[in-house]
Amino acid sequence: KQEVTQIPAALSVPEGENLVLNCSFTDSAIYNLQWFRQDPGKGLTSLLLIQSSQREQTSGRLNASLDKSSGRSTLYIAASQPGDSATYLCAVNTGNQFYFGTGTSLTVIP
Amino acid sequence: GAVVSQHPSWVICKSGTSVKIECRSLDFQATTMFWYRQFPKQSLMLMATSNEGSKATYEQGVEKDKFLINHASLTLSTLTVTSAHPEDSSFYICCGTRAGANVLTFGAGSRLTVL
């Protein structure tokens, strides 16, 4: 069974810093990996989708990388802003099911 | 982009009543709808997977008679919490995906509070 782990569980940084969120998975046989953002009491917003054949995807200040062989993905956030404060989840798609990590709670301090 | 509309966003009910949560895919046909439950500060727990026109497949430990899922059309799926009790209070989120896309589109979630 696929297990998805996100480290750290919580992260607090001053505004303007660059930061990296980590997602690791145990089974490298995946179709794609998706990063989401969740604000308190809200649903999930898709940030980036990386297909299994891709190494990275970029959207604005966000860059997600995928190393399938080592079972790892990272989400890089450049020049963090207070509005980036949220919980970030990664989800691994095995073709049959989506497995979610437990999330990283990010706080960007003004 | 793809949008899933979920409502109600917030519902409070008395113990013993039933509550229906609806999820509609607005601009795509959701061949599969996933229903998740989320406890405070925890990740999403998959409750069931429903394919349009078929009975839902429930995860182990989820009572199918308590959490009724209907996916009668490609744009609408419903979750009915029957005879709700305080322990059913939670955040419920639906997620649709279309055939071959393997991309998740989430609803905004429904917070259920059972008194």
Side-chain angles (χ1 to χ4, degrees), chain B residues 22-33:
Chain B
E22 289 190 353
C23 277
R24 294 180 184 273
S25 56
L26 298 185
D27 50 3
F28 71 101
Q29 294 182 327
T31 50
T32 301
M33 194 73 81

Side-chain angles (χ1 to χ4, degrees), chain A residues 9-30:
Chain A
L11 180 64
S12 185
V13 300
E15 180 177 4
E17 266 200 16
N18 303 324
L19 58 100
V20 175
L21 308 180
N22 298 290
C23 172
S24 61
F25 46 96
T26 55
D27 189 343
S28 62
I30 67 171

